[in-house]
Amino acid sequence: MSIIAKIVSVATLITLGTTQLDAQSRALGEWHGVLAIPTGQQLTLLIRVRDSAGTSLSGDLESIDQAPGQRMPLSKISASATSLTFSIPSIGATYDAQWNEAEQLWSGVFRQGMALPLTLKRGAPPSSARIDGVDGTWRGSLKRDTTTLRLVLHIRTTTRGTNVTLDSPDVGAMGLAVQQFERVRDTVRFRVPIAQVEFVGMMREGQRAFYGRWSRVNSPDAQVTFERDTAGPTARIRTQWPITAEGYHAEDVKFANPRARDVTLAGTITIPNGPGPFPAAVLISGSGPQDRDESLFGHKPFAVLADHLSRHGIAVLRYDDRGFAASTGDHSRATSADFATDANAAILYLLTRRDVDHKAMGFIGHSEGGMIGPLAAVENNRVGFLVLLAGPGTSIDQLLVSQRRAMGATQGASSEQLAAGEPALRSILHLVRDAPDSSSAVTQLRALLTDETLQALGATSTQRDALVSQYSSAWMRYFLKYEPSVVLKRVGVPVLALNGSLDRQVPSAENLAAMRVILAGKPDVTVRELPGLNHMFQPAKSGALAEYDTIPETFSPTAMELITDWIVARFGKDRP
């Protein structure tokens, strides 16, 4: 136990009592565990819990394999002799554990969109081997059929040894844990378990490069050369950020969700200058915990969109998702229906504002937000319009199959490889969709995910438990049961539905075709495909995930102008 944990003032003893202090002290210090995620990657976590002046606990979490040295603060730490709970707001995660006296460890569940088992043992994790002379960034490329995939190795040596991670930007994979990295004279070896990859190569050119055989299960071997990057990291260019607020003012706000006792949402409202009231849009983010700007790869699409709308006479409210950043609540246990109550709480907040036109309020939802918006709107007669940015129109199981095809093609997968895993994926999705409850879903998934099924999906037996957890989660079960046609047919307000033609996450052609059928006959519906835009509504070349980071523009001005003009034509202050 640390010295600070032993030094407790008399005033603290009077307030808390020695029993509570002793119970809290069990959690103090360093703890480590290994988190197995559905992709097969195993992440070593280091948790530090400290006594803050004897009255409360503080701490942080470090992901040793992904970001050694970067500490994420813990909050809401609660410890007793038998239990330990905390949250990690920056990633929308929570941990809930019970003390195992016999084994002297915490046994619990780590939740971040799904529930994963995590056992914490006392002390720091074992140090890895130290390998000198290879620190830095090493870049290579892998050719698959007609596709070239970039590979980036990051090697860093600290007091804990040498840590290695791999990025594959063109498949959207970053920070993959590299294991068994070793250098014996001029021979370099390593494994990437998550990708079922082994590499064996030779150093050359005075340690400026190494080349060798890249082997992956069910794929032909390839030759890859890694060259040391001597230029250093390239600065990201973001042409629309930072913004200069002109023509409006911004205000940070907080509002409670009356349907969820523990949820208080923190956000920013931008109000145009001049006399109101103004039409108002609530922005709803896509899947996974997101901040109010929907930040991704240095882009802030919601901030850019809010800026554009408010410059043109539209008030905008955007907020951190529940349980993330400055908002409270538990993101990991919530479903899209829960997020819909958060969206309606935003409408309730707008009703308190005199500078907002209460007859001209609506939702702009992106991706899953384009599903949450309609769910909220059909339960709220104060909602006046819907803008769906890549919101789902097809059934969710069909969307996920189409997504796998479209994204796989941009990542070098052959049509034969994709087709081989499709029957297994459909079986999983239908099973989860039709399961009467979570327990039944877990039982059936365990029976379905045989070694043969896992192999067809490109997974291994070590990933079985994590996949069961992912697919049986409350969020996934609700997501798969959602029928866009049922909900959208109930919508009675004007609708603008947009997709980019290069969207690989919600493929545009079939999605918008479904939207047109579902919304046919309604009095005010606009359905448009925007040429050359990806899922994030950026101008793209292929629509691949890897492009998101490399494109300087955050949000197409053409798309923003279309959204703005559509809202102003119906709800603008100067409309006829």
Side-chain angles (χ1 to χ4, degrees):
M1 185 185 298
S2 66
I3 293 175
I4 191 171
K6 296 179 180 178
I7 301 175
V8 181
S9 70
V10 173
T12 302
L13 287 171
I14 293 173
T15 304
L16 296 179
T18 56
T19 302
Q20 183 176 344
L21 288 170
D22 290 343
Q24 282 193 346
S25 69
R26 170 167 283 169
L28 297 175
E30 294 186 325
W31 302 86
H32 74 277
V34 177
L35 189 68
I37 59 178
T39 54
Q41 190 172 8
Q42 293 189 324
L43 303 178
T44 300
L45 305 181
L46 171 60
I47 289 89
R48 302 174 183 87
V49 180
R50 297 177 291 275
D51 180 2
S52 298
T55 59
S56 62
L57 299 177
S58 63
D60 55 65
L61 178 146
E62 181 180 349
S63 180
I64 301 298
D65 299 309
Q66 290 182 309
Q70 296 183 20
R71 299 186 179 190
M72 292 175 278
L74 306 181
S75 70
K76 299 181 182 177
I77 306 173
S78 176
S80 72
T82 58
S83 67
L84 171 65
T85 63
F86 57 77
S87 63
I88 311 101
S90 62
I91 57 173
T94 62
Y95 182 64
D96 189 343
Q98 299 296 311
W99 178 250
N100 185 320
E101 182 66 27
E103 299 185 39
Q104 295 289 293
L105 51 79
W106 297 105
S107 178
V109 177
F110 185 94
R111 289 184 172 86
Q112 188 189 19
M114 67 190 77
L116 302 173
L118 175 63
T119 296
L120 295 181
K121 300 179 180 180
R122 186 173 291 283
S127 297
S128 55
R130 182 184 178 92
I131 302 173
D132 295 321
V134 290
D135 275 20
T137 299
W138 300 75
R139 300 184 184 275
S141 60
L142 173 68
K143 290 188 177 180
R144 293 292 189 204
D145 297 328
T146 59
T147 303
T148 299
L149 305 177
R150 292 169 294 161
L151 303 172
V152 186
L153 277 173
H154 301 281
I155 306 177
R156 180 187 179 193
T157 300
T158 68
T159 55
R160 297 186 183 279
T162 297
N163 175 271
V164 186
T165 60
L166 174 73
D167 298 342
S168 184
D170 297 303
V171 301
M174 311 298 283
L176 305 183
V178 173
Q179 296 181 358
Q180 299 174 13
F181 186 94
E182 62 178 33
R183 177 189 175 189
V184 179
R185 299 185 185 84
D186 289 334
T187 300
V188 176
R189 301 174 183 267
F190 61 80
R191 295 178 59 247
V192 190
I194 185 176
Q196 303 179 66
V197 163
E198 292 188 1
F199 176 85
V200 180
M202 298 291 293
M203 277 283 184
R204 68 178 187 184
E205 297 178 5
Q207 300 185 1
R208 293 194 302 272
F210 55 88
Y211 70 99
R213 186 181 70 253
W214 180 276
S215 303
R216 185 169 188 245
V217 175
N218 298 326
S219 296
D221 288 355
Q223 292 295 312
V224 175
T225 298
F226 287 95
E227 296 182 345
R228 192 190 290 270
D229 184 352
T230 58
T234 302
R236 285 172 169 166
I237 299 173
R238 299 290 177 256
T239 57
Q240 295 169 314
W241 185 263
I243 58 177
T244 302
E246 295 179 359
Y248 65 91
H249 62 279
E251 178 184 342
D252 288 341
V253 299
K254 288 188 176 182
F255 52 95
N257 179 347
R259 300 272 302 273
R261 184 167 51 87
D262 63 336
V263 174
T264 297
L265 300 161
T268 299
I269 187 168
T270 50
I271 303 288
N273 293 339
F278 301 97
V282 174
L283 306 189
I284 310 174
S285 67
S287 58
Q290 310 242 9
D291 67 18
R292 67 193 70 185
D293 297 332
E294 207 182 33
S295 300
L296 178 73
F297 296 129
H299 288 289
K300 296 182 179 292
F302 274 11
V304 171
L305 178 57
D307 172 75
H308 188 277
L309 292 171
S310 291
R311 286 173 186 263
H312 292 83
I314 302 168
V316 180
L317 175 59
R318 62 193 197 272
Y319 55 91
D320 302 328
D321 288 349
R322 66 161 69 186
F324 191 71
S327 291
T328 65
D330 188 344
H331 191 281
S332 66
R333 297 177 186 267
T335 68
S336 302
D338 298 315
F339 299 135
T341 69
D342 294 341
N344 276 332
I347 293 292
L348 284 176
Y349 170 75
L350 290 179
L351 287 170
T352 69
R353 309 263 326 189
R354 291 185 176 182
D355 43 13
V356 166
D357 182 348
H358 298 162
K359 295 181 180 180
M361 303 180 296
F363 295 130
I364 301 177
H366 176 230
S367 198
E368 187 195 353
M371 162 182 167
I372 295 166
L375 280 169
V378 297
E379 301 296 333
N380 190 343
N381 61 13
R382 305 307 296 259
V383 175
F385 65 87
L386 285 173
V387 178
L388 310 180
L389 304 177
T394 63
S395 64
I396 300 302
D397 56 341
Q398 180 58 45
L399 169 60
L400 293 179
V401 170
S402 299
Q403 181 186 89
R404 181 174 180 269
R405 290 177 191 163
M407 293 178 64
T410 68
Q411 296 171 355
S414 66
S415 57
E416 292 79 10
Q417 288 174 312
L418 294 170
E422 202 163 287
L425 177 61
R426 287 189 183 274
S427 295
I428 291 171
L429 299 177
H430 293 170
L431 181 160
V432 173
R433 183 195 62 196
D434 298 336
D437 52 48
S438 180
S439 176
S440 176
V442 169
T443 301
Q444 294 181 61
L445 280 168
R446 289 196 181 282
L448 177 62
L449 290 174
T450 62
D451 288 348
E452 182 180 8
T453 300
L454 290 166
Q455 184 177 7
L457 292 168
T460 66
S461 58
T462 60
Q463 297 171 250
R464 184 180 287 109
D465 288 347
L467 285 170
V468 168
S469 177
Q470 177 189 22
Y471 280 109
S472 64
S473 70
W475 180 87
M476 180 61 80
R477 291 179 56 245
Y478 185 93
F479 188 59
L480 288 170
K481 289 177 187 293
Y482 174 77
E483 285 293 343
S485 61
V486 173
V487 177
L488 288 170
K489 284 179 180 178
R490 294 177 58 197
V491 170
V493 299
V495 177
L496 172 63
L498 304 176
N499 260 105
S501 66
L502 294 179
D503 191 332
R504 306 307 182 195
Q505 292 179 253
V506 181
S508 178
E510 67 179 48
N511 192 63
L512 292 184
M515 282 283 188
R516 291 186 179 97
V517 171
I518 295 168
L519 298 171
K522 292 186 179 294
D524 190 351
V525 172
T526 304
V527 180
R528 289 273 301 273
E529 181 180 74
L530 303 182
L533 302 188
N534 62 18
H535 184 66
M536 300 304 295
F537 290 84
Q538 299 170 287
K541 293 181 179 178
S542 70
L545 286 174
E547 284 187 327
Y548 296 178
D549 186 29
T550 62
I551 299 171
E553 194 168 86
T554 297
F555 209 118
S556 162
T558 300
M560 291 193 290
E561 288 165 7
L562 174 58
I563 296 166
T564 302
D565 292 346
W566 185 89
I567 295 174
V568 169
R570 288 156 180 80
F571 302 100
K573 289 186 63 180
D574 298 327
R575 66 187 185 278

